Amino acid sequence: MRIGIYLNARVKVLTANAFALLLLLFVSSLAIAAQTPEKSPNDNNQYRFIELDNGLRAILVFDKDADKAAASMNVAVGSGDDPKEREGIAHFLEHMLFLGTEKYPEPGEYQQFIKSHGGSHNAFTAFSNTNYFFDIQADYLEPALDRFAQQFAAPLFTADLVDRERNAVHSEFSAKQKEDGRRFYSVKKAASNPEHAFHQFAVGNLTTLENTDTNPLRPDLIEFWKTHYSANLMTLAVYGPQPLDELEAMVRVRFDAIENRDLEPKAHTEALLDPTVLPAKVTAEAIKDVRSLTLSFPISSQKDNYRTKPASYIANLLGHEGSGSLFDVLKKNGLADSLSAGIGMDTGENATLDISIALTPEGLRRHEEILPLVFRYIDIVREQGIKQQRFDEMQRLTQIDFRFRERGEPMHEVMRLSSQLQDYPAEDVLSAPWLMDRYAPNQYQEILSRLTPDNVMAYLLAPQLELKNPNVTQWYDTPWQIEPLDTEALRTDAPSAMAKALQLPLPNPFVPENLAMVPGKTMSKPELLGNQEGMAIWFARDTRFNTPKANVFFSLRTPAARVSARSHVLTRLLVDSINNNLNAWAYSARLAGLDYSIYPHLRGVTVRVGGYSDKLHTLMNRILMQVSAPDITRQRFDIARQNMIDGLKNKAKDRPVEQTSEFIQTALMEDTWSTEEKLQAAREVTLDELRSFAETLLSQVDPVLMAHGNITEAYTLNLAQQIDAIVLGKSDFVEVERSRMRKLPAEEMLVSLNVDHPDTGYTLYMQGKNTSFEERARFRLLAQIISSPFYKDIRTTRQLGYIVYATPFEMLETPALGFIVQSPTATQETIDQAVREFTEGFEADLNALSAERLEREKQAVISGILEQDRQLGEISGRYWREIDRGADGFDSREKLAEAVEAVNLEELKATFRDAALNRERALRAVTGGEGLSGNEARDLVLSQPPVTAK
């Protein structure tokens, strides 16, 4: 009996243990399932979601083939958390976290480590979150994560760096003080609800970040960090070729050190726009010749509706560009150049749905007619737009897009994932942007119920408004005014002819049906199929990413496009007409995963068509018909010419360093023209002249075709026959050589540009001797080694400005080194003296460079040159650039990498001495001070021969 009892008891114990084991396995399998988000069937990466003991949540990405690793930390704290007495402190904190930690106290050490191992880093502060990110050579992910984690666990906030970095924040503010984007944003803030945190100044400057004995900044900074930054508000994404267990170990041991202060993200329950003010129109004055009308409708937050996306459904209809759409009617009447619709801002409590329209000058004059027309179209959507079949089409397209999603660059992937982990459950973090689970007519109608004339803030931005007694924004000095809108007029005053033309889109004929892959192996490089009637035909079958997509490039090189500034202008106006004629018809193709661009370049015009290969030929055929016989109307000519004139005039209002750098490009590159020459030509050309130019443009051509992706050789040859029949029938074939760079004189040239901006712009361009791979390699390596020290010296130590960088300034394979500085305080002479002192001091650093350090910097450069292709479009673009430069071996990357590996220290020192110390073949373009005028410098450069291969 005892035995029986014993045996029975043992059986019970075994049964209980087995049950417990099964339960454990079951629970574990559930846990693993919860840790693995749903991914695209085309995604070969492995993912794991984890939550650390301190509450930090992380998504880990294992990509076995990755040559780059990356990480991003998203903190649910942003400018909306700034105290009213310390506006800009969240942004300032973002700056300070980079400048030393307890384990790595040296400021700039993190930046130097990342740069020396082939990586890059940055951060941004938004309203409700701050995102920090980097990428690096994959083998160095662990030590990079060690430095990265310390920034959140143990930052130093060194006192002298606090005072120094506030100058950098002020420089960032000053550099963008005359940019219309920032100025208009300041108006939106001023017109928003004063009780909402969005109303506050977000960037910060020397005033809001005051640092005095009576108001010290460092204690406030530390207090803000302690009361806002907490592990439980952080989401991390890490991407690398290390297995998931290894990635998890890297993360846990480092990021668990971040303190969990058990904080809650700030809830912004106040209305973004004061409902007692609506409906209203805000008018703001622009500096540049830009004209826009934005209708902003307060709606409820849409973050919880990510599975049904009602705002996307409505925005898809409102922003459609097909025949009869709001945009199409406005464009046909010469009133608008572009239109978009979508969520403007979403705080988690409130949101806005925005309709933004870029106006023509005529559209600006008649904007009061446009407003009621918008509401008429909203009524049509409300009455006729909520249909199951429309949803089915949208859902089908998102499913196809998700099914064949291509990988992005690791840095972009981690930025996206760390942000999305704040908004979506872990299981949906990969699929959330593509989810449209079900038809939700009640949700669509709920949004439409808020798109009414009594619930809108209209923003009008235009230059030279001559407002009477305007308000002026506090930090950006932008004149603006607000006035009530007449709701009855908005409901009833839509112009009848335009209102009658409005209609909702028809079913999309471009939804792909055949998504099969063509048979055959991926080709290692394009193959020249021949020169059919003078046209070079390149073909490369490529199915390595298992996506049924292709890219077709067709270049019409023609001497007519490069004769003069006038022909340059005419070519661009002709391309505008072609694009304008295609837009309404081809918009559906864009929605269905096809895209195209028709663009002018130094040798003529190129047509690029890409996307799902199923119906690519239909789109290409229509484009070719337009290229062959474009319909050029008076209305479009006038609008396009005015847009070009506005754009050229606006260049004088760009940032100083943008103007100095662009001057260098246009002065040195063959077949380019100054802004003044193009502006004069744009003002003089006529409609008859453009029509005549269109007829003669194709009389002499040097055509090239490349087809790459999920297509066959027969398809490519058939396409070539189409092109020949439609476009090239009456053309003579000539050779159009590639443009080159002009060689600079032996001595440094100093050019001073007259720029209306409080900041000083400085660009020092130091040109190489020839275009050989060996010379290009030396300049690439020199730029790699010098960039971090240059930034640390000029920006961090000397505090000369926010925009500071050293870069390889290579154009058309001509190597160069560039030093760029924009300063709110220093003259160009002061900047140049600092640059000279830096280069003289850096010579000793270069002389002392160890063999180990040199090899590390070489590998960093090589990793960038040979960076892994992740999408078909990247490979297509690279092949097309090789064809353009005549490198039919398609191995320029490999040759350049080999040349970098072969550089020795003595060669590098000689290159630095000639280029940076002695400034042989150097051009210094600055704003302010003494120097040649732009025209004088251009005339001098025009007399120089081109840079040669040896």
Side-chain angles (χ1 to χ4, degrees):
M1 185 178 187
R2 287 179 181 174
I3 292 175
I5 294 171
Y6 173 74
L7 287 173
N8 192 40
R10 189 179 179 198
V11 168
K12 286 182 178 178
V13 169
L14 288 172
T15 303
N17 286 345
F19 179 76
L21 180 61
L22 286 170
L23 182 63
L24 178 63
L25 290 171
F26 178 70
V27 171
S28 297
S29 67
L30 284 179
I32 292 170
Q35 291 175 342
T36 307
E38 180 187 358
K39 65 178 184 176
S40 164
N42 204 46
D43 187 349
N44 293 320
N45 293 342
Q46 294 178 22
Y47 299 86
R48 179 181 295 171
F49 169 76
I50 60 173
E51 184 169 332
L52 307 189
D53 292 340
N54 60 1
L56 185 148
R57 293 169 294 141
I59 181 81
L60 311 176
V61 187
F62 166 51
D63 176 356
K64 64 182 177 62
D65 300 319
D67 54 353
K68 276 279 182 79
S72 170
M73 178 76 88
N74 192 283
V75 187
V77 177
S79 60
D81 294 83
D82 288 346
K84 288 187 177 180
E85 65 276 9
R86 277 297 191 193
E87 292 174 312
I89 199 165
H91 178 217
F92 182 60
L93 174 59
E94 171 223 304
H95 278 238
M96 287 303 303
L97 287 190
F98 288 118
L99 298 178
T101 63
E102 290 180 9
K103 187 174 182 180
Y104 303 97
E106 181 67 23
E109 195 277 343
Y110 166 72
Q111 293 90 327
Q112 180 64 59
F113 183 85
I114 297 292
K115 183 68 178 178
S116 292
H117 295 94
S120 59
H121 70 92
N122 214 327
F124 66 83
T125 303
F127 178 75
S128 55
N129 63 86
T130 305
N131 197 290
Y132 304 81
F133 49 91
F134 73 85
D135 67 359
I136 198 163
Q137 287 172 265
D139 290 344
Y140 298 93
L141 173 61
E142 187 164 14
L145 283 176
D146 199 55
R147 289 160 172 79
F148 192 58
Q150 282 290 303
Q151 294 173 2
F152 306 98
L156 286 179
F157 303 127
T158 308
D160 63 331
L161 291 176
V162 167
D163 195 56
R164 192 187 297 170
E165 196 62 22
R166 60 191 282 272
N167 288 298
V169 171
H170 183 80
S171 295
E172 180 178 353
F173 157 71
S174 174
K176 300 175 182 180
Q177 207 169 1
K178 285 202 166 189
E179 292 185 4
D180 280 322
R182 286 291 178 100
R183 297 171 79 254
F184 190 36
Y185 197 54
S186 76
V187 171
K188 285 190 168 185
K189 283 178 167 290
S192 67
N193 184 356
E195 299 303 313
H196 198 285
F198 178 70
H199 190 76
Q200 295 178 192
F201 176 47
V203 179
N205 58 24
L206 289 177
T207 303
T208 67
L209 300 173
E210 178 187 349
N211 188 29
T212 61
D213 291 341
T214 56
N215 191 19
L217 179 57
R218 185 171 184 268
D220 290 351
L221 175 66
I222 293 172
E223 178 66 14
F224 183 84
W225 172 65
K226 285 184 175 179
T227 56
H228 289 81
Y229 271 46
S230 175
N232 70 302
L233 297 183
M234 298 180 182
T235 48
L236 175 71
V238 178
Y239 187 115
Q242 296 83 353
L244 290 173
D245 287 345
E246 193 175 329
L247 290 174
E248 181 171 347
M250 286 184 197
V251 167
R252 285 192 181 277
V253 74
R254 290 170 175 85
F255 290 87
D256 239 339
I258 301 170
E259 185 177 350
N260 181 7
R261 300 180 176 115
D262 199 24
L263 302 177
E264 291 290 329
K266 185 174 180 179
H268 300 278
T269 57
E270 305 85 358
L272 272 166
L273 299 172
D274 185 348
T276 65
V277 175
L278 303 180
K281 180 177 76 172
V282 171
T283 305
E285 191 167 291
I287 292 176
K288 290 186 174 183
D289 288 307
V290 292
R291 297 162 294 271
S292 68
L293 176 65
T294 300
L295 285 76
S296 190
F297 299 91
I299 62 173
S300 58
S301 172
Q302 296 298 302
K303 288 189 175 181
D304 289 341
N305 294 331
Y306 72 93
R307 284 187 161 274
T308 49
K309 296 187 174 56
S312 296
Y313 181 97
I314 299 302
N316 178 283
L317 294 174
L318 295 177
H320 207 280
E321 298 181 19
S323 181
S325 66
L326 174 62
F327 174 64
D328 183 52
V329 170
L330 290 172
K331 191 168 188 178
K332 283 179 177 174
N333 284 273
L335 304 180
D337 276 321
S338 67
L339 184 149
S340 63
I343 292 291
M345 184 175 181
D346 194 329
T347 68
E349 299 284 341
N350 299 286
T352 62
L353 190 144
D354 293 354
I355 302 172
S356 299
I357 307 168
L359 301 174
T360 65
E362 181 67 12
L364 176 63
R365 285 189 288 272
R366 296 171 57 187
H367 74 272
E368 291 183 353
E369 297 178 40
I370 295 174
L371 286 169
L373 192 70
V374 172
F375 285 100
R376 178 68 197 112
Y377 194 63
I378 292 172
D379 286 342
I380 294 173
V381 172
R382 187 180 290 113
E383 295 158 7
Q384 306 171 27
I386 312 303
K387 298 285 177 65
Q388 176 78 47
Q389 51 266 48
R390 292 191 189 282
F391 167 80
D392 291 344
E393 181 179 283
M394 292 181 200
Q395 184 188 51
R396 172 66 176 152
L397 290 174
T398 60
Q399 288 172 343
I400 292 173
D401 195 29
F402 184 62
R403 165 67 183 85
F404 294 107
R405 182 178 181 268
E406 293 180 277
R407 289 183 300 172
E409 293 180 4
M411 184 187 284
H412 294 157
E413 290 293 289
V414 294
M415 289 171 66
R416 181 178 65 84
L417 290 173
S418 68
S419 297
Q420 289 176 189
L421 202 52
Q422 292 280 4
D423 294 330
Y424 308 124
E427 60 268 23
D428 293 335
V429 71
L430 300 178
S431 58
W434 291 270
L435 290 175
M436 286 190 84
D437 277 0
R438 60 182 176 82
Y439 179 56
N442 292 337
Q443 292 182 359
Y444 311 151
Q445 289 291 4
E446 196 280 329
I447 289 178
L448 286 166
S449 72
R450 305 296 302 277
L451 309 189
T452 57
D454 57 0
N455 185 50
V456 65
M457 182 77 86
Y459 301 92
L460 183 69
L461 176 68
Q464 302 168 345
L465 290 172
E466 298 180 2
L467 302 175
K468 294 180 181 178
N469 301 317
N471 303 301
V472 177
T473 59
Q474 182 178 5
W475 299 114
Y476 292 88
D477 297 326
T478 308
W480 68 284
Q481 67 182 29
I482 186 167
E483 57 190 302
L485 283 170
D486 181 348
T487 56
E488 186 60 26
L490 294 177
R491 286 190 179 96
T492 61
D493 286 1
S496 58
M498 286 194 285
K500 288 178 182 176
L502 293 172
Q503 64 180 40
L504 293 177
L506 298 171
N508 193 330
F510 287 98
V511 176
E513 298 168 89
N514 180 6
L515 296 169
M517 308 302 296
V518 298
K521 292 183 179 180
T522 291
M523 297 164 61
S524 61
K525 62 181 180 180
E527 175 185 320
L528 183 63
L529 299 183
N531 281 277
Q532 179 177 304
E533 300 294 329
M535 176 170 56
I537 306 167
W538 293 91
F539 161 68
R541 180 179 52 254
D542 193 334
T543 56
R544 75 185 76 180
F545 298 118
N546 199 34
T547 57
K549 296 180 179 181
N551 291 297
V552 173
F553 289 78
F554 170 52
S555 183
L556 280 164
R557 302 169 182 170
T558 169
R562 65 200 302 181
V563 173
S564 63
R566 205 176 188 92
S567 63
H568 169 97
V569 165
L570 288 166
T571 303
R572 276 152 178 74
L573 290 174
L574 178 60
V575 167
D576 175 88
S577 284
I578 295 169
N579 278 315
N580 180 70
N581 295 338
L582 287 166
N583 187 73
W585 180 85
Y587 183 75
S588 293
R590 291 190 190 277
L591 291 180
L594 286 167
D595 64 274
Y596 71 95
S597 59
I598 304 160
Y599 58 91
H601 50 81
L602 292 174
R603 285 203 269 186
V605 176
T606 287
V607 174
R608 183 195 62 79
V609 180
Y612 296 110
S613 50
D614 179 32
K615 298 181 180 179
L616 188 148
H617 63 284
T618 305
L619 179 58
M620 187 68 178
N621 185 268
R622 184 68 170 257
I623 292 172
L624 293 174
M625 296 290 285
Q626 268 299 319
V627 170
S628 174
D631 180 21
I632 303 171
T633 66
R634 162 63 66 183
Q635 182 195 71
R636 189 60 210 174
F637 170 78
D638 289 342
I639 291 171
R641 189 172 71 118
Q642 188 59 53
N643 285 345
M644 181 178 287
I645 290 170
D646 289 347
L648 291 166
K649 287 166 60 180
N650 286 340
K651 285 186 177 294
K653 299 165 187 173
D654 285 341
R655 292 181 195 172
V657 290
E658 290 176 353
Q659 295 192 53
T660 54
S661 297
E662 183 173 347
F663 171 80
I664 289 169
Q665 294 176 42
T666 57
L668 295 181
M669 200 177 291
E670 290 180 344
D671 306 311
T672 59
W673 317 95
S674 70
T675 298
E676 293 76 14
E677 290 170 318
K678 290 183 284 190
L679 188 55
Q680 181 180 347
R683 285 169 169 155
E684 293 175 352
V685 294
T686 65
L687 176 61
D688 289 341
E689 191 176 357
L690 178 59
R691 286 172 172 163
S692 176
F693 181 79
E695 292 176 0
T696 59
L697 180 69
L698 302 181
S699 60
Q700 290 186 312
V701 293
D702 182 6
V704 182
L705 171 69
M706 184 194 78
H708 170 236
N710 187 50
I711 46 175
T712 63
E713 181 177 325
Y715 178 100
T716 305
L717 292 171
N718 182 53
L719 183 58
Q721 290 178 344
Q722 258 190 309
I723 291 170
D724 186 56
I726 297 172
V727 179
L728 304 177
K730 299 178 181 179
S731 301
D732 294 327
F733 297 101
V734 297
E735 184 178 356
V736 180
E737 292 190 354
R738 197 162 183 256
S739 300
R740 296 170 294 181
M741 296 294 292
R742 297 185 181 93
K743 183 182 293 186
L744 281 171
E747 306 83 19
E748 179 186 10
M749 290 177 60
L750 173 60
V751 182
S752 179
L753 306 179
N754 184 21
V755 173
D756 180 19
H757 195 287
D759 287 10
T760 300
Y762 175 100
T763 301
L764 177 61
Y765 168 88
M766 296 155 277
Q767 190 180 71
K769 296 176 181 177
N770 55 57
T771 63
S772 67
F773 286 107
E774 293 78 12
E775 184 78 344
R776 291 171 63 195
R778 289 188 283 268
F779 273 82
R780 287 281 186 101
L781 185 54
L782 180 58
Q784 163 69 21
I785 295 170
I786 208 170
S787 62
S788 286
F790 180 79
Y791 178 89
K792 181 181 177 183
D793 184 272
I794 303 299
R795 184 187 183 278
T796 306
T797 303
R798 299 178 190 258
Q799 287 290 305
L800 288 184
Y802 170 71
I803 301 173
V804 174
Y805 56 97
T807 183
F809 210 134
E810 184 173 300
M811 295 180 283
L812 297 178
E813 291 77 60
T814 298
L817 176 65
F819 290 158
I820 290 89
V821 181
Q822 182 170 314
S823 176
T825 56
T827 64
Q828 73 90 5
E829 293 87 358
T830 303
I831 297 171
D832 192 58
Q833 181 60 33
V835 169
R836 288 183 186 277
E837 290 172 4
F838 164 75
T839 52
E840 288 165 5
F842 184 74
E843 185 177 23
D845 296 339
L846 194 60
N847 289 337
L849 199 70
S850 67
E852 179 186 8
R853 168 81 187 281
L854 179 62
E855 182 59 28
R856 187 171 74 226
E857 301 290 358
K858 284 183 182 180
Q859 293 309 312
V861 175
I862 291 169
S863 73
I865 294 169
L866 299 179
E867 188 167 352
Q868 182 184 64
D869 295 311
R870 294 178 174 84
Q871 297 184 357
L872 186 72
E874 294 174 358
I875 303 170
S876 301
R878 178 159 52 83
Y879 285 164
W880 186 242
R881 289 190 295 275
E882 292 281 67
I883 290 169
D884 177 64
R885 61 172 69 107
D888 55 11
F890 298 92
D891 58 354
S892 294
R893 293 197 311 170
E894 290 73 18
K895 287 181 177 178
L896 184 57
E898 290 169 6
V900 171
E901 186 62 67
V903 174
N904 62 51
L905 184 57
E906 291 307 311
E907 293 173 336
L908 197 63
K909 286 156 60 175
T911 298
F912 171 75
R913 189 167 52 248
D914 291 346
L917 282 180
N918 301 334
R919 296 191 181 181
E920 299 176 6
R921 299 172 305 281
L923 173 55
R924 184 181 2 143
V926 299
T927 62
E930 300 296 321
L932 298 171
S933 70
N935 288 335
E936 290 170 336
R938 199 182 305 276
D939 290 343
L940 182 58
V941 170
L942 281 171
S943 65
Q944 295 295 115
V947 178
T948 55
K950 289 290 184 181

